[in-house]
Amino acid sequence: MYVAVKGGERAIANAHAWLAEERRGDTDVADLSVTQIREQLKLAVDRVMAEGSLYDPDLAALAIKQSRGDLIEAIFLIRAYRTTLPRFGASEPVSTGEMACDRRISATFKDLPGGQVLGPTFDYTHRLLDFKLAADGEVPEAPSRDVAPGDVPHVTEFLNREGLIEEAPAEDTTPPDLTREPLEMPASRALRLQALTRADEGFTLGLAYSTQRGYGRNHAFVGELRIGMVPVEMEIPELGFAIEIGEITLTECETVNQFKGSKTEPPQFTRGYGLVFGQSERKSISMALVDRALRWEELGEDNVGAPAQDAEFVLYHADNIQATGFLEHIKLPHYVDFQSELELVRKLRREAGADQVPEAAE
Amino acid sequence: MTDQDYNFAYLDEQTKRMIRRAILKGLAIPGYQVPFASREMPMPYGWGTGGVQVSAAVLTPEDTFKVIDQGADDTTNAVSIRSFFQRTAGVTTTTKTSDASVIQTRHRIPEEALTEDQILVYQVPIPEPLRFLEPRESETRKMHSLEEYGLMHVKLYEDISRHGHIATSYAYPVKVEGRYVMDPSPIPKFDNPKLGDMAAIQLFGAGREQRIYALPPYTQVVSLDFEDHPFEASKADHPCGLCGAEESYLDEVIVDDAGGRMFVCSDTDYCDARQAAGYKGKDAA
């Protein structure tokens, strides 16, 4: 077998060797273990799982280590790995009402059944660098108490009893699968939510923020934000019934949005929804705001031309793996195109009489 | 030699079947962009994932594979894609155009005429020729189905009225069999005349944009123009500095810091073969 070998091949191999060495850093400093990343950089792990669309904290931690902490690169590693995995089937829908909540807050009611649970949040920390952490990472054990058993009801259910919030009827249709079918417009809400949950956190945040500042404003209250573990059940054909196959941590945000009514809908509160793998608060709130903005058409609202209302704009540009790949491809050689542009610009300049610079020696 | 952890040519057979269906549909409707469920590949979007998926779907163990980028076999991304298929498919590779049964290319069509036994796979960044006139996919698909190409002609006309020429030098739009306007990928317009009536099968893969389109052998492909401003394939007005070729597409290479430059064939195999046959340009060693 003849294999073509040219200079580029050695350059690539050497670049990879150098990269590996740089990734490791100073060998006098202990190697960072994957379990350390999994346990101590958990929010990074969660983001990689969410945008990588693969719930596996160990693989996400490995990806972060391999990518030197570049999270988009880590997400890319996870995405590329996940496409090679066989698909055994689909789980039953998870029930977030059954969530064992680590955190559960509502901004719309002071108190409510199930209570307000702050959980492990940065919210009221003073953002002062903790120099003690630089010396020693030990922390005292946090106080704990037992949790009352039973499901924690959703805040929107209370509003729903009064008919104040739009109905969200249960639906049994199988949602489309973004990873198995090409994204085509118009996209159903299920498909939009699927795209948003794996969308880039920064992009989603920016879009959500733009709606708050008036580009498609839909004033949102955080009806509820909850973070915790939910069981995942799957029906095994051989058994004929569903069994629990594991637990995953999810962040769910339900926004309650002001709505004065439209030509087709009465005045009522409307909903935005965010659901993301792991503890991903910023992302799930952003997702809920963007979801609500994208719903203008079904609610009979006006399209004011805001970016966050434009499903094509949002969905085609939200995926950071697509975006970063295409952005960075301009590093690849473009000699041929550039040459044809050179010829064209020279010709146009010649004809416009602008070509006064003497030709350089050839 | 082959990486046993992955299926032949990386993709699983079901995915390949899905891609082959899209290719067959593309061949049946020349120039029409077929949506397909592009997979995430282990190289970035924009770096040839569409071409790689199409190559993976058409490669067989008996194939001989060639990869070029800007016409050259030794550009880094061509090297990277070639080694990907060496690793995952174990196919024989070559740099010789006539020896290859499948050629994956970015931005060029080889100088040497291809044959009926060959497949040319293009990497496509933006498959939609109307994209920069209308950013919305839902609109451009409608324009194609209604054969509504007035906007493109207006754009070309505006170029002529402003510059005296059509100011598109690469990714120059073509019309296929009198029906679909197609983006030939960012090949220089010098290569456009080779698209039509080609003996080989031409397949175009856009991974990020999830589109495949195709030109079956001997398809009529016409570069858009006007009667009084006919299409003109252009290249640098020099012979190749290494092999002296007058008819090949040239890259401009800067050779010193005084602005000195030389022109060499962008198709490295073509240039090497000519030099081996004794042709010599004025800058040859």
Side-chain angles (χ1 to χ4, degrees):
Chain A
M1 182 177 113
Y2 169 72
V3 173
V5 180
K6 286 279 186 87
E9 220 149 320
R10 204 174 67 219
I12 291 175
N14 290 344
H16 290 175
W18 193 356
L19 172 68
E21 198 178 281
E22 284 289 309
R23 186 201 58 70
R24 175 59 185 87
D26 185 348
T27 49
D28 290 338
V29 177
D31 185 40
L32 182 60
S33 77
V34 168
T35 45
Q36 282 173 328
I37 296 171
R38 189 193 65 207
E39 294 303 315
Q40 297 177 39
L41 294 177
K42 193 164 174 306
L43 299 187
V45 168
D46 285 352
R47 180 174 172 195
V48 170
M49 293 196 302
E51 292 172 35
S53 299
L54 181 72
Y55 197 96
D56 189 318
D58 291 296
L59 287 181
L62 172 62
I64 291 168
K65 177 171 177 169
Q66 187 179 332
S67 66
R68 311 175 67 196
D70 178 340
L71 295 191
I72 290 183
E73 183 66 28
I75 291 159
F76 185 11
L77 288 168
I78 291 296
R79 290 269 192 98
Y81 178 75
R82 105 186 260 293
T83 47
T84 67
L85 300 176
R87 183 166 298 205
F88 298 119
S91 76
E92 298 290 305
V94 296
S95 167
T96 52
E98 293 170 37
M99 182 183 281
C101 295
D102 286 342
R103 173 161 166 78
R104 190 269 191 139
I105 54 165
S106 169
T108 50
F109 295 99
K110 183 167 184 181
D111 200 8
L112 65 168
Q116 303 260 19
V117 180
L118 280 185
T121 175
F122 290 121
D123 280 356
Y124 306 100
T125 60
H126 294 145
R127 269 63 166 201
L128 303 171
L129 272 178
D130 180 359
F131 293 103
K132 276 218 307 291
L133 267 185
D136 139 37
E138 296 310 311
V139 290
E141 202 175 320
S144 64
R145 68 171 169 90
D146 290 333
V147 183
D151 293 356
V152 182
H154 282 100
V155 168
T156 47
E157 286 171 23
F158 304 131
L159 285 168
N160 208 19
R161 274 180 217 153
E162 275 188 77
L164 291 178
I165 190 161
E166 59 163 321
E167 290 284 345
E171 236 198 280
D172 277 341
T173 48
T174 307
D177 185 342
L178 188 62
T179 66
R180 284 291 185 275
E181 295 145 35
L183 175 63
E184 290 192 73
M185 297 292 150
S188 65
R189 189 178 180 202
L191 190 62
R192 297 195 304 252
L193 289 169
Q194 214 175 98
L196 287 174
T197 194
R198 60 174 3 207
D200 183 70
E201 180 174 310
F203 182 80
T204 318
L205 170 66
L207 280 174
Y209 178 49
S210 74
T211 69
Q212 290 186 293
R213 287 196 65 258
Y215 290 83
R217 184 163 185 269
N218 55 55
H219 195 287
F221 298 101
V222 173
E224 179 168 341
L225 177 78
R226 59 172 67 192
I227 302 173
M229 297 261 257
V230 293
V232 178
E233 291 182 353
M234 186 172 160
E235 191 173 310
I236 310 293
E238 288 81 353
L239 297 177
F241 53 86
I243 57 161
E244 191 177 319
I245 55 169
E247 287 182 315
I248 58 174
T249 298
L250 293 177
T251 303
E252 182 186 51
C253 176
E254 287 183 285
T255 57
V256 175
N257 301 67
Q258 282 175 358
F259 182 57
K260 295 194 172 64
S262 67
K263 279 182 240 89
T264 58
E265 302 292 320
Q268 59 187 329
F269 291 110
T270 54
R271 300 166 185 260
Y273 189 71
L275 184 72
V276 186
F277 278 161
Q279 179 168 348
S280 308
E281 245 176 83
R282 183 185 301 122
K283 172 68 181 290
S284 68
I285 301 170
S286 303
M287 178 177 167
L289 264 61
V290 176
D291 168 47
R292 177 59 186 80
L294 290 173
R295 297 184 60 218
W296 64 272
E297 206 164 3
E298 64 203 61
L299 293 170
E301 288 178 318
D302 290 334
N303 181 351
V304 298
Q309 286 181 309
D310 186 336
E312 275 201 55
F313 178 79
V314 173
L315 301 187
Y316 278 127
H317 302 107
D319 190 290
N320 53 23
I321 302 308
Q322 291 176 359
T324 199
F326 196 56
L327 180 106
E328 296 194 42
H329 107 281
I330 61 176
K331 294 184 284 189
L332 289 177
H334 286 79
Y335 325 131
V336 165
D337 301 348
F338 188 68
Q339 186 62 41
S340 59
E341 285 288 288
L342 268 179
E343 297 302 328
L344 179 67
V345 172
R346 280 183 186 139
K347 185 173 175 183
L348 294 178
R349 281 174 63 82
R350 222 168 16 244
E351 286 169 7
D355 196 18
Q356 302 303 329
V357 186
E359 285 263 312
E362 274 166 32
Chain B
M1 196 71 194
T2 313
D3 200 321
Q4 297 299 320
D5 295 338
Y6 293 100
N7 192 31
F8 174 78
Y10 185 75
L11 294 173
D12 59 279
E13 292 304 313
Q14 273 190 325
T15 300
K16 285 194 217 168
R17 191 165 64 180
M18 174 272 293
I19 295 171
R20 286 176 195 141
R21 282 179 177 155
I23 291 171
L24 290 173
K25 184 169 179 181
L27 286 166
I29 319 171
Y32 170 74
Q33 299 169 51
V34 184
F36 82 112
S38 175
R39 297 291 192 253
E40 266 129 349
M41 299 300 287
M43 58 273 283
Y45 284 119
W47 296 54
T49 56
V52 167
Q53 288 179 80
V54 169
S55 291
V58 300
L59 273 177
T60 66
E62 294 74 40
D63 272 311
T64 303
F65 191 50
K66 170 179 165 87
V67 189
I68 49 173
D69 184 344
Q70 316 295 301
D73 298 90
D74 61 350
T75 37
T76 41
N77 206 42
V79 170
S80 166
I81 290 170
R82 187 167 56 236
S83 72
F84 176 74
F85 281 110
Q86 274 160 18
R87 183 170 162 191
T88 59
V91 289
T92 306
T93 63
T94 184
T95 59
K96 206 163 151 33
T97 302
S98 54
D99 285 351
S101 53
V102 178
I103 302 172
Q104 182 169 329
T105 181
R106 177 170 172 265
H107 295 188
R108 272 315 306 277
I109 297 175
E111 304 292 352
E112 195 176 335
L114 302 182
T115 68
E116 289 178 3
D117 302 324
Q118 294 178 302
I119 299 176
L120 183 60
V121 177
Y122 295 77
Q123 300 171 202
V124 181
I126 305 270
E128 179 51 72
L130 306 169
R131 177 61 65 243
F132 300 110
L133 305 171
E134 167 53 58
R136 261 163 227 286
E137 181 68 14
S138 49
E139 285 300 317
T140 52
R141 286 193 80 78
K142 226 179 285 168
M143 291 160 77
H144 282 294
S145 49
L146 299 173
E147 224 176 319
E148 179 52 69
Y149 296 126
L151 202 57
M152 180 62 91
H153 286 104
V154 170
K155 190 254 169 203
L156 298 178
Y157 172 76
E158 282 179 350
D159 273 4
I160 292 171
S161 57
R162 189 172 307 159
H163 308 294
H165 302 279
I166 293 172
T168 298
S169 60
Y170 61 91
Y172 190 102
V174 295
K175 196 161 202 180
V176 180
E177 289 289 338
R179 177 59 181 85
Y180 285 100
V181 167
M182 185 191 97
D183 182 315
S185 90
I187 56 172
K189 69 177 181 179
F190 173 83
D191 281 339
N192 270 29
K194 299 179 206 159
L195 289 160
D197 211 30
M198 189 191 276
I201 293 174
Q202 299 175 77
L203 305 175
F204 298 78
R208 191 178 38 78
E209 299 280 340
Q210 309 187 308
R211 296 291 184 271
I212 284 172
Y213 50 105
L215 296 172
Y218 307 111
T219 300
Q220 185 207 70
V221 180
V222 179
S223 300
L224 298 182
D225 61 359
F226 297 98
E227 271 173 29
D228 50 345
H229 281 273
F231 171 82
E232 202 185 328
S234 64
K235 65 181 269 288
D237 193 16
H238 299 269
C240 170
L242 297 178
C243 77
E246 304 268 357
E247 301 303 325
S248 71
Y249 192 76
L250 302 172
D251 281 340
E252 185 171 329
V253 183
I254 297 172
V255 289
D256 57 42
D257 53 11
R261 48 208 159 101
M262 66 182 278
F263 291 86
V264 293
C265 291
S266 109
D267 185 334
T268 48
D269 175 59
Y270 179 78
C271 195
D272 291 348
R274 280 181 55 91
Q275 290 177 67
Y279 292 98
K280 246 184 155 144
K282 70 181 176 63
D283 302 306

